[in-house]
Amino acid sequence: MRKFRLFINPVEGRKKWLNEQASKGLRLKHAGRFLYTFEPSAEPYEYDVQYIGYMANWDRKEYESFLQQLDFNYWTVSINVGKFAFGSVRLRPYARGVGKVATSPGMIGQELMILEKRSDGKPFDVFSDEESVLESLQERQKPYLYTSALLAVFLWYIVFVLQDPTWILILPGLLLLYCLYFAVLLGKMIRKQRERCAIHN
Amino acid sequence: MSKVQEAPLTETAFLVLLAMYTPNHGYGVMQFVEEKTNGRVVFGPGTLYGAINNLRKKGWIKPLPVEKGERKKDYVITELGMAQVEQELRRLKEIQQIAIDVLGGEQG
């Protein structure tokens, strides 16, 4: 069965929805950008969603091979944030090392990973200790901060320097608000997680 | 890279190092840790992958040559890694002793 779904919150929102489908006895067969295919399953499964956009191509491939060794099923899907495109080359200044330049195919359209685990009664989390949770939140915040800064400069330039505001600017304006919202939300989550890390490790 | 660090190890790093006193791969480390901690610690794949990469970069573990047709990558602890583990063990013993001293007779 096919389901169409758009997520405002690409990570937590997706995880929650996938696990709701799983609790109805469905198992993920295919994941696209908006379209998901499920099939009924007698076995219970659980899902988690991980941001992998900061990984360089070789790093992601190594991670995939690691997951295969551990017998995890996974799907890579796309979110569109923090990408600055020149033809098929995109810059991600917030990524690590050579990951800063994303080239198609491989790195573009593979920013998120959905992981599947057969339920064993314990919650399934890709990150199981406080430090790695903190690190993953920090990696997720970077593209939002970067895109927000880029859009803010762009809007400021058109409105105040060129003094040429048009209605079409409402679109980058809305995108800016969306990115700022997540930058702040993740900032709050990072602060909370830092407090946890100060006590537990 | 050649120095034994003073900072305490995280539980994750400590357990991964212990699991690699004999050559081990990701799945083996997961099983070792789950079994030894009676299921208290179950590594998520993202956490374990990150920990193995960090320890390898520090030179505390090293990958063994992959045999043809073998898809599992084995790692083993290095001398430097062992020195870290020994230092961590001394630190934990010291803390344990402090706790025993403070709790004194209250210890069941």
Side-chain angles (χ1 to χ4, degrees):
Chain A
M1 118 195 20
R2 291 173 127 198
K3 295 195 177 197
F4 176 87
R5 187 79 182 192
L6 256 172
F7 297 97
I8 294 191
N9 183 337
V11 175
E12 283 84 3
R14 201 175 252 104
K15 173 175 183 170
K16 187 166 169 261
W17 183 73
L18 286 169
N19 283 322
E20 277 166 15
Q21 305 313 306
S23 68
K24 292 178 198 160
L26 295 176
R27 184 180 182 192
L28 188 61
K29 275 283 117 188
H30 175 76
R33 184 173 294 198
F34 307 117
L35 216 53
Y36 294 78
T37 313
F38 294 92
E39 65 172 25
S41 162
E43 302 274 350
Y45 286 88
E46 268 186 87
Y47 298 90
D48 198 1
V49 179
Q50 178 181 8
Y51 171 68
I52 57 164
Y54 66 90
M55 288 183 182
N57 207 18
W58 64 267
D59 194 13
R60 182 179 54 75
K61 280 190 178 145
E62 206 170 283
Y63 185 46
E64 287 188 23
S65 118
F66 179 79
L67 291 172
Q68 286 160 13
Q69 288 166 30
L70 295 176
D71 281 329
F72 277 101
N73 277 331
Y74 60 85
W75 297 262
T76 49
V77 292
S78 170
I79 47 168
N80 276 305
V81 79
K83 293 192 299 191
F84 199 48
F86 298 101
S88 64
V89 178
R90 295 166 197 226
L91 297 183
R92 291 180 185 159
Y94 49 84
R96 288 181 187 164
V98 289
K100 283 182 173 42
V101 181
T103 48
S104 208
M107 286 185 67
I108 296 165
Q110 315 226 41
E111 291 86 15
L112 284 187
M113 187 178 261
I114 298 169
L115 293 99
E116 179 190 74
K117 188 190 171 189
R118 222 164 108 177
S119 281
D120 55 6
K122 293 170 194 154
F124 173 41
D125 292 303
V126 167
F127 296 107
S128 56
D129 70 7
E130 306 294 353
E131 286 85 8
S132 55
V133 170
L134 177 63
E135 209 177 308
S136 75
L137 291 173
Q138 287 166 333
E139 290 296 352
R140 277 174 58 193
Q141 192 193 31
K142 286 178 195 171
Y144 290 112
L145 288 174
Y146 165 71
T147 311
S148 299
L150 207 72
L151 285 168
V153 170
F154 170 75
L155 288 170
W156 167 82
Y157 187 77
I158 290 183
V159 175
F160 293 103
V161 179
L162 298 181
Q163 302 200 326
D164 186 24
T166 67
W167 282 108
I168 200 84
L169 289 181
I170 202 131
L171 293 172
L174 285 174
L175 187 58
L176 173 61
L177 286 178
Y178 174 82
C179 289
L180 276 177
Y181 171 75
F182 274 101
V184 171
L185 184 76
L186 284 162
K188 278 186 188 161
M189 289 163 81
I190 288 168
R191 250 199 324 280
K192 241 187 187 162
Q193 190 59 28
R194 275 220 183 91
E195 283 166 18
R196 290 183 65 92
C197 281
I199 303 169
H200 308 279
N201 83 40
Chain B
M1 178 171 141
S2 60
K3 212 174 124 233
V4 176
Q5 293 189 357
E6 296 293 326
L9 295 181
T10 62
E11 184 179 69
T12 301
F14 195 35
L15 287 170
V16 172
L17 287 171
L18 289 173
M20 287 177 175
Y21 267 74
T22 50
N24 216 339
H25 45 73
Y27 184 66
V29 172
M30 256 184 183
Q31 282 189 315
F32 173 92
V33 168
E34 197 167 341
E35 189 193 313
K36 294 288 181 190
T37 64
N38 294 317
R40 179 180 65 84
V41 179
V42 181
F43 284 150
T47 295
L48 181 57
Y49 179 74
I52 289 177
N53 271 348
N54 284 337
L55 294 172
R56 195 194 55 202
K57 275 185 211 151
K58 284 175 178 292
W60 298 0
I61 59 172
K62 63 175 183 208
L64 295 174
V66 182
E67 280 172 37
K68 251 194 173 167
E70 183 60 54
R71 69 186 187 124
K72 286 187 165 70
K73 208 186 217 175
D74 277 348
Y75 291 88
V76 72
I77 191 166
T78 61
E79 297 268 316
L80 189 60
M82 288 180 192
Q84 299 291 342
V85 168
E86 280 153 26
Q87 167 156 314
E88 181 65 11
L89 189 58
R90 279 195 296 276
R91 196 185 65 83
L92 289 175
K93 276 184 181 160
E94 183 188 288
I95 290 183
Q96 188 190 26
Q97 193 54 52
I98 295 170
I100 290 171
D101 291 348
V102 170
L103 297 181
E106 294 167 39
Q107 270 286 71

XYZ file of all heavy atoms in Angstrom, chain A residues 50 55 58-60 62-63 65-72 96 115 117 120 122 124-129 131-133 135 201, chain B residues 8-13 25-28 30 34 39 42-49 52-54 56-57 71-73 75 91:
526
model
N 17.873 9.087 10.815
C 19.167 9.703 11.124
C 19.549 10.687 10.025
O 19.423 10.376 8.840
C 20.218 8.576 11.216
C 21.616 9.064 11.492
C 22.620 7.928 11.544
O 22.309 6.776 11.232
N 23.846 8.240 11.923
N 27.854 13.637 6.067
C 28.854 12.615 5.736
C 29.345 12.800 4.305
O 28.555 13.072 3.402
C 28.251 11.213 5.851
C 27.993 10.752 7.259
S 27.371 9.055 7.210
C 27.081 8.774 8.955
N 32.273 8.739 0.693
C 32.954 7.507 1.132
C 32.521 7.124 2.542
O 32.395 5.950 2.863
C 34.479 7.693 1.081
C 34.993 8.734 2.027
C 35.209 10.049 1.756
C 35.316 8.563 3.423
N 35.645 10.714 2.890
C 35.723 9.830 3.916
C 35.298 7.462 4.292
C 36.104 10.020 5.250
C 35.683 7.668 5.617
C 36.079 8.934 6.073
N 32.249 8.152 3.370
C 31.858 7.910 4.755
C 30.474 7.252 4.790
O 30.231 6.288 5.524
C 31.856 9.253 5.492
C 31.798 9.096 6.997
O 31.998 7.963 7.481
O 31.579 10.094 7.697
N 29.577 7.806 3.953
C 28.225 7.241 3.908
C 28.268 5.808 3.405
O 27.587 4.926 3.925
C 27.326 8.084 3.000
C 25.899 7.571 2.939
C 25.031 8.433 2.059
N 25.581 8.594 0.729
C 25.543 7.638 -0.198
N 25.003 6.471 0.057
N 26.055 7.872 -1.384
N 30.713 3.724 3.691
C 31.274 2.874 4.738
C 30.224 2.594 5.816
O 30.135 1.482 6.337
C 32.499 3.566 5.346
C 33.471 2.570 5.940
C 34.783 3.216 6.317
O 35.574 3.457 5.395
O 35.002 3.475 7.507
N 29.432 3.632 6.125
C 28.371 3.455 7.113
C 27.340 2.438 6.605
O 26.883 1.582 7.347
C 27.711 4.807 7.419
C 26.686 4.755 8.522
C 26.957 4.085 9.717
C 25.448 5.350 8.396
C 26.028 4.031 10.739
C 24.505 5.313 9.415
C 24.802 4.653 10.580
O 23.872 4.591 11.589
N 27.883 0.000 4.552
C 28.433 -1.350 4.607
C 28.460 -1.861 6.057
O 28.220 -3.040 6.316
C 29.804 -1.391 3.918
O 30.818 -1.749 4.789
N 28.700 -0.941 6.993
C 28.648 -1.271 8.422
C 27.239 -1.756 8.799
O 27.069 -2.771 9.494
C 29.032 -0.026 9.223
C 29.001 -0.178 10.714
C 30.042 -0.795 11.384
C 27.942 0.324 11.464
C 30.030 -0.923 12.770
C 27.921 0.201 12.843
C 28.963 -0.423 13.490
N 26.211 -1.040 8.305
C 24.830 -1.418 8.613
C 24.470 -2.765 7.996
O 23.736 -3.556 8.588
C 23.863 -0.344 8.105
C 23.912 0.994 8.829
C 23.053 2.026 8.105
C 23.465 0.862 10.274
N 25.014 -3.020 6.806
C 24.761 -4.315 6.160
C 25.361 -5.448 6.987
O 24.752 -6.499 7.147
C 25.351 -4.323 4.748
C 24.521 -3.495 3.771
C 25.303 -3.093 2.524
O 26.385 -3.625 2.269
N 24.786 -2.141 1.779
N 26.565 -5.194 7.533
C 27.188 -6.216 8.381
C 26.341 -6.505 9.612
O 26.319 -7.613 10.123
C 28.568 -5.742 8.840
C 29.609 -5.728 7.741
C 30.841 -4.943 8.159
O 31.182 -4.879 9.329
N 31.495 -4.332 7.196
N 25.668 -5.464 10.101
C 24.839 -5.635 11.296
C 23.422 -6.104 10.935
O 22.564 -6.200 11.803
C 24.753 -4.324 12.082
C 26.048 -3.793 12.696
C 25.809 -2.441 13.346
C 26.603 -4.748 13.737
N 23.183 -6.344 9.642
C 21.880 -6.802 9.152
C 20.734 -5.825 9.394
O 19.612 -6.230 9.690
C 21.526 -8.171 9.753
C 22.271 -9.272 9.028
O 22.541 -9.117 7.820
O 22.615 -10.287 9.675
N 21.024 -4.537 9.282
C 19.955 -3.543 9.354
C 19.438 -3.272 7.951
O 20.212 -3.211 7.000
C 20.485 -2.210 9.911
C 20.543 -2.166 11.409
C 21.751 -2.349 12.075
C 19.393 -1.939 12.150
C 21.804 -2.306 13.462
C 19.450 -1.896 13.537
C 20.654 -2.080 14.186
N 31.527 17.924 6.938
C 32.880 17.619 7.400
C 33.802 17.299 6.234
O 33.433 16.563 5.336
C 32.850 16.377 8.288
C 32.226 16.619 9.630
C 32.296 15.329 10.394
N 31.560 15.427 11.643
C 31.207 14.380 12.348
N 31.502 13.169 11.944
N 30.549 14.529 13.469
N 16.212 3.740 9.282
C 16.734 2.426 9.667
C 15.626 1.590 10.272
O 14.753 2.104 10.978
C 17.864 2.568 10.692
C 19.133 3.215 10.165
C 19.184 4.665 10.536
C 20.353 2.493 10.703
N 14.538 -1.960 12.414
C 14.989 -3.031 13.302
C 13.784 -3.868 13.699
O 12.696 -3.324 13.914
C 15.624 -2.416 14.559
C 16.291 -3.431 15.452
C 16.683 -2.810 16.769
C 17.154 -3.869 17.737
N 17.341 -3.326 19.087
N 12.357 -5.808 19.554
C 12.724 -6.798 20.570
C 12.287 -6.312 21.948
O 12.845 -6.698 22.964
C 14.237 -7.057 20.538
C 15.049 -5.769 20.686
O 14.441 -4.708 20.922
O 16.281 -5.827 20.581
N 12.646 -3.452 23.207
C 13.378 -2.262 23.658
C 13.235 -1.176 22.599
O 13.147 -1.478 21.420
C 14.868 -2.589 23.823
C 15.137 -3.547 24.951
C 16.577 -4.008 24.915
C 16.778 -5.217 25.805
N 17.905 -6.044 25.378
N 14.116 1.489 19.856
C 15.199 1.486 18.874
C 15.672 2.913 18.629
O 14.922 3.745 18.139
C 14.706 0.847 17.574
C 15.708 0.941 16.452
C 17.063 0.743 16.688
C 15.299 1.227 15.159
C 17.984 0.831 15.654
C 16.209 1.311 14.121
C 17.561 1.115 14.367
N 16.904 3.190 19.002
C 17.500 4.495 18.770
C 18.849 4.314 18.096
O 19.675 3.542 18.575
C 17.694 5.258 20.091
C 16.366 5.662 20.706
O 15.592 6.352 20.018
O 16.092 5.256 21.856
N 19.049 5.039 17.000
C 20.327 4.979 16.281
C 21.466 5.436 17.199
O 22.558 4.893 17.159
C 20.260 5.869 15.021
C 21.638 6.080 14.433
C 19.352 5.225 13.986
N 21.157 6.433 18.048
C 22.173 6.923 18.977
C 21.810 6.505 20.393
O 20.741 6.846 20.885
C 22.304 8.442 18.875
C 22.792 8.878 17.523
C 21.939 9.488 16.622
C 24.097 8.626 17.132
C 22.381 9.858 15.371
C 24.551 8.998 15.883
C 23.688 9.610 14.995
N 22.711 5.765 21.023
C 22.362 5.167 22.310
C 23.087 5.793 23.493
O 22.859 5.388 24.614
C 22.645 3.664 22.259
O 23.998 3.444 21.892
N 23.988 6.741 23.264
C 24.551 7.417 24.437
C 24.430 8.934 24.303
O 24.135 9.451 23.225
C 25.991 6.953 24.746
C 27.000 7.429 23.705
O 26.632 8.220 22.818
O 28.165 7.000 23.792
N 26.490 11.497 24.435
C 27.407 12.266 23.578
C 27.019 12.175 22.111
O 27.057 13.161 21.385
C 28.861 11.771 23.698
C 29.547 12.158 24.966
C 29.241 11.177 26.063
O 28.611 10.133 25.755
O 29.593 11.426 27.208
N 26.698 10.964 21.658
C 26.397 10.841 20.227
C 25.059 11.490 19.883
O 24.881 11.981 18.768
C 26.475 9.381 19.759
O 25.658 8.551 20.522
N 24.128 11.533 20.853
C 22.871 12.262 20.624
C 23.184 13.746 20.451
O 22.711 14.402 19.521
C 21.878 12.055 21.797
C 20.689 13.002 21.671
C 21.388 10.611 21.837
N 26.020 15.144 19.527
C 26.739 15.369 18.273
C 25.782 15.362 17.078
O 25.893 16.186 16.173
C 27.796 14.276 18.105
C 28.994 14.715 17.307
C 30.035 13.616 17.224
O 30.427 13.076 18.277
O 30.422 13.287 16.098
N 27.404 10.341 31.221
C 28.140 10.253 29.962
C 27.927 8.908 29.284
O 27.307 8.030 29.779
C 29.617 10.598 30.117
C 30.453 9.442 30.611
O 30.262 8.299 30.206
N 31.376 9.726 31.495
N 38.615 11.146 31.472
C 37.935 9.852 31.591
C 37.365 9.406 30.251
O 36.980 10.238 29.432
C 36.793 10.129 32.570
C 37.047 11.462 33.162
C 37.985 12.196 32.267
N 37.318 8.106 30.043
C 36.695 7.582 28.823
C 35.187 7.562 29.009
O 34.699 7.410 30.122
C 37.169 6.145 28.582
C 38.644 5.929 28.285
C 38.897 4.443 28.056
C 39.051 6.715 27.055
N 34.463 7.677 27.907
C 33.023 7.476 28.011
C 32.794 5.973 28.172
O 33.654 5.163 27.817
C 32.292 7.949 26.741
O 32.755 7.161 25.638
C 32.533 9.419 26.461
N 31.621 5.635 28.687
C 31.291 4.209 28.859
C 31.341 3.505 27.511
O 31.847 2.382 27.400
C 29.907 4.085 29.488
C 29.541 2.656 29.794
C 28.178 2.537 30.446
O 27.159 2.797 29.766
O 28.125 2.185 31.620
N 30.836 4.206 26.473
C 30.826 3.607 25.132
C 32.245 3.276 24.677
O 32.532 2.145 24.264
C 30.163 4.573 24.121
O 28.834 4.836 24.554
C 30.137 3.985 22.727
N 33.158 4.260 24.775
C 34.537 4.040 24.315
C 35.199 2.924 25.115
O 35.881 2.053 24.549
C 35.331 5.335 24.453
N 34.422 -7.426 15.250
C 33.757 -6.553 14.274
C 32.530 -5.921 14.924
O 32.204 -6.248 16.079
C 33.370 -7.342 13.030
C 32.739 -8.655 13.351
N 31.461 -8.741 13.846
C 33.226 -9.911 13.301
C 31.174 -10.009 14.059
N 32.231 -10.749 13.742
N 31.877 -5.021 14.192
C 30.745 -4.272 14.741
C 29.707 -5.145 15.422
O 29.336 -4.898 16.577
N 29.288 -6.187 14.738
C 28.238 -7.053 15.290
C 28.732 -7.744 16.563
O 28.009 -7.851 17.560
C 27.835 -8.089 14.233
C 26.685 -8.958 14.671
C 25.424 -8.405 14.869
C 26.866 -10.320 14.890
C 24.372 -9.189 15.287
C 25.814 -11.112 15.297
C 24.566 -10.548 15.505
O 23.520 -11.326 15.922
N 30.006 -8.193 16.523
C 30.594 -8.860 17.676
C 30.672 -7.934 18.888
O 30.404 -8.353 20.022
N 28.702 -5.365 19.491
C 27.327 -5.189 19.982
C 26.911 -6.341 20.888
O 26.363 -6.139 21.962
C 26.373 -5.127 18.793
C 25.905 -3.746 18.487
S 24.702 -3.831 17.164
C 24.389 -2.105 16.945
N 26.185 -6.214 24.950
C 24.842 -6.543 25.421
C 24.903 -7.712 26.417
O 24.247 -7.695 27.454
C 23.948 -6.894 24.218
C 22.477 -6.843 24.567
C 21.553 -6.884 23.365
O 22.030 -6.590 22.244
O 20.375 -7.200 23.561
N 22.262 -6.740 28.989
C 21.241 -6.001 28.251
C 21.055 -4.562 28.712
O 20.225 -3.837 28.178
N 22.765 -1.340 25.145
C 22.587 -1.817 23.772
C 22.997 -0.674 22.857
O 22.364 0.374 22.843
C 21.119 -2.226 23.499
C 20.966 -2.732 22.077
C 20.660 -3.276 24.492
N 24.062 -0.861 22.101
C 24.542 0.209 21.239
C 23.623 0.426 20.052
O 23.229 -0.535 19.385
C 25.932 -0.125 20.683
C 27.053 0.041 21.676
C 28.186 -0.743 21.593
C 26.980 1.003 22.678
C 29.228 -0.587 22.497
C 28.013 1.171 23.586
C 29.137 0.368 23.495
N 23.308 1.693 19.784
C 22.648 2.030 18.527
C 23.708 2.002 17.429
O 24.878 2.256 17.715
N 23.300 1.711 16.179
C 24.300 1.603 15.115
C 25.069 2.906 14.872
O 26.272 2.879 14.591
C 23.489 1.203 13.881
C 22.080 1.521 14.212
C 21.946 1.410 15.704
N 24.407 4.053 15.002
C 25.074 5.337 14.786
C 26.137 5.594 15.846
O 27.239 6.067 15.551
N 25.797 5.254 17.080
C 26.738 5.433 18.195
C 27.957 4.536 18.033
O 29.097 4.972 18.191
C 26.024 5.130 19.531
O 25.013 6.118 19.716
C 26.984 5.174 20.704
N 27.718 3.274 17.698
C 28.832 2.336 17.572
C 29.739 2.700 16.390
O 30.969 2.674 16.509
C 28.297 0.902 17.412
C 29.357 -0.188 17.291
C 30.303 -0.183 18.484
C 28.713 -1.562 17.156
N 29.132 3.074 15.282
C 29.922 3.465 14.102
C 30.808 4.668 14.434
O 31.999 4.686 14.112
C 28.984 3.799 12.944
C 29.694 4.242 11.681
C 30.361 3.323 10.893
C 29.694 5.581 11.284
C 31.019 3.733 9.737
C 30.336 5.991 10.136
C 30.996 5.058 9.364
O 31.654 5.465 8.230
N 33.696 3.589 16.880
C 34.758 2.830 16.201
C 35.624 3.785 15.366
O 36.851 3.724 15.403
C 34.161 1.697 15.324
C 33.604 0.594 16.229
C 35.211 1.119 14.377
C 32.914 -0.547 15.494
N 34.975 4.699 14.648
C 35.738 5.662 13.838
C 36.632 6.553 14.685
O 37.781 6.804 14.329
C 34.788 6.544 13.022
C 34.480 5.906 11.688
O 35.140 4.945 11.290
N 33.475 6.412 11.010
N 36.090 7.040 15.803
C 36.882 7.914 16.674
C 38.081 7.177 17.251
O 39.187 7.703 17.280
C 36.020 8.460 17.824
C 35.099 9.559 17.336
O 35.362 10.186 16.318
N 34.007 9.773 18.056
N 39.561 4.581 16.058
C 40.513 4.269 14.996
C 41.360 5.501 14.662
O 42.566 5.411 14.488
C 39.764 3.785 13.748
C 40.666 3.089 12.730
C 39.951 2.946 11.413
N 39.483 4.252 10.972
C 38.488 4.448 10.107
N 37.862 3.416 9.603
N 38.133 5.654 9.748
N 40.694 6.668 14.596
C 41.428 7.907 14.303
C 42.462 8.206 15.375
O 43.531 8.732 15.092
C 40.449 9.086 14.201
C 39.846 9.221 12.822
C 38.972 10.476 12.757
C 37.831 10.268 11.796
N 36.645 11.040 12.136
N 33.101 -9.906 4.404
C 32.544 -8.553 4.381
C 32.620 -7.868 5.755
O 32.408 -6.683 5.872
C 31.130 -8.531 3.816
C 30.106 -9.162 4.668
C 28.749 -9.234 3.999
N 27.789 -9.718 4.965
C 26.679 -9.093 5.301
N 26.356 -7.977 4.737
N 25.847 -9.596 6.201
N 32.916 -8.654 6.786
C 33.016 -8.041 8.109
C 34.424 -7.521 8.346
O 35.400 -8.217 8.125
C 32.644 -9.059 9.195
C 31.159 -9.327 9.258
C 30.825 -10.204 10.447
C 29.343 -10.205 10.782
N 28.507 -10.885 9.816
N 34.511 -6.277 8.813
C 35.811 -5.671 9.064
C 36.165 -5.863 10.536
O 35.433 -5.414 11.420
C 35.703 -4.183 8.735
C 37.007 -3.552 8.299
C 36.793 -2.064 8.145
C 37.549 -1.487 6.994
N 37.252 -0.063 6.787
N 38.541 -5.342 13.917
C 39.457 -4.384 14.552
C 40.060 -5.046 15.775
O 39.481 -5.957 16.356
C 38.712 -3.134 15.019
C 38.201 -2.276 13.897
C 36.949 -2.520 13.337
C 38.962 -1.224 13.398
C 36.469 -1.743 12.305
C 38.485 -0.434 12.365
C 37.246 -0.699 11.822
O 36.779 0.078 10.805
N 41.448 4.767 37.383
C 40.569 5.871 37.755
C 39.270 5.351 38.368
O 38.796 5.844 39.387
C 40.249 6.715 36.504
C 39.665 8.080 36.785
C 39.276 8.765 35.486
N 38.188 8.050 34.818
C 36.904 8.211 35.131
N 36.547 9.078 36.049
N 35.978 7.519 34.505
